[in-house]
Amino acid sequence: FLSESRMKTGINDLSSRCHRPILLISFRNYIMILKGSREHAMLNAHISRQPVSVMTAVNFGELKMSHNPAETLVAFSIGSGIGVSIYYPITICGILLNFVLPDSSMLSPSKAHIQPSMFADTGLAALFDALSDFGAQRENFKVVLAGGAQIIDQTAEFNIGHKNHQAITSLLKAEDLTIQHADIGGIFLRTLRLDMSNGDTVIQTSGQTEVTV
């Protein structure tokens, strides 16, 4: 190996020939730079492998599906509408429907065609179509409902929350599906979350403790 003094002499000579200065660092500093770069690269590689947690909002009249273990599907502030959460553990598949009205015949057929997830009947049909595309077997479904509150019309003269509950319960029964848990009625807003990392469904009712199913 060359001594550091001989290396300096050679580099100075090379600099004079090239008519430009050449940066000189000690061997020790060079090793430290390499070590730092390697540790930095290892840190970046470690970070890049970590799943990024994602929260996806399912708004009123929407249907969303996920296979991402780092994702959480969430329907905020459910009132008289109902959130339907279904988790299929075999393939880590989850879906959340946030419908508003019980029957697509209540409005024009064109509305149901454009936004089927607005209604219990067409929304549930779209939900089953999405799940069947991934070969999900219905006997393994974990079904949770939340919503159906009586927010505006507390006299129950036109209790849309109750009608929504009747509609979705009847439709699920016709499909021979068991509802594992239902948090329905009352006068409070609810938030429904489906955690894809473990299949937990969490219901948060205003002013109450969270319920995990």
Side-chain angles (χ1 to χ4, degrees), residues 4-115:
E4 187 170 337
S5 61
R6 294 185 64 184
M7 288 177 63
K8 288 181 178 179
T9 302
I11 290 175
N12 289 335
D13 181 60
L14 182 60
S15 297
S16 62
R17 294 181 183 181
C18 297
H19 304 291
R20 64 182 62 182
I22 294 179
L23 178 64
L24 176 64
I25 61 173
S26 68
F27 181 74
R28 181 179 297 175
N29 288 341
Y30 176 69
I31 293 300
M32 291 178 65
I33 292 172
L34 285 180
K35 183 178 179 182
S37 299
R38 184 178 301 172
E39 290 176 349
H40 181 70
M42 291 176 64
L43 178 61
N44 285 341
H46 175 71
I47 292 174
S48 65
R49 286 195 295 267
Q50 302 305 311
V52 178
S53 179
V54 178
M55 182 171 286
T56 301
V58 184
N59 299 316
F60 301 126
E62 287 188 342
L63 171 70
K64 292 185 180 179
M65 187 175 186
S66 176
H67 293 276
N68 181 5
E71 187 172 18
T72 297
L73 300 176
V74 54
F76 294 101
S77 302
I78 304 172
S80 59
I82 291 181
V84 182
S85 166
I86 295 183
Y87 181 74
Y88 182 62
I90 308 300
T91 59
I92 312 180
C93 174
I95 195 164
L96 202 159
L97 168 67
N98 189 1
F99 74 88
V100 179
L101 295 171
D103 189 350
S104 57
S105 64
M106 294 179 68
L107 295 177
S108 64
S110 60
K111 179 64 176 179
H113 179 73
I114 296 172
Q115 195 175 6

Side-chain angles (χ1 to χ4, degrees), residues 153-175:
D153 183 10
Q154 297 186 19
T155 63
E157 293 179 4
F158 185 67
N159 192 339
I160 194 66
H162 180 65
K163 294 179 184 297
N164 279 334
H165 184 215
Q166 285 183 320
I168 195 64
T169 301
S170 176
L171 290 166
L172 289 171
K173 184 177 180 181
E175 297 292 339

Side-chain angles (χ1 to χ4, degrees), residues 160-213:
I160 194 66
H162 180 65
K163 294 179 184 297
N164 279 334
H165 184 215
Q166 285 183 320
I168 195 64
T169 301
S170 176
L171 290 166
L172 289 171
K173 184 177 180 181
E175 297 292 339
D176 199 26
L177 285 176
T178 301
I179 300 170
Q180 274 69 35
H181 184 83
D183 194 335
I184 300 293
I187 60 173
F188 301 103
L189 298 176
R190 296 174 174 87
T191 293
L192 176 64
R193 303 196 308 268
L194 174 57
D195 187 342
M196 294 300 300
S197 67
N198 52 21
D200 282 353
T201 305
V202 181
I203 302 171
Q204 175 64 63
T205 304
S206 300
Q208 300 182 24
T209 305
E210 285 186 349
V211 175
T212 300
V213 183

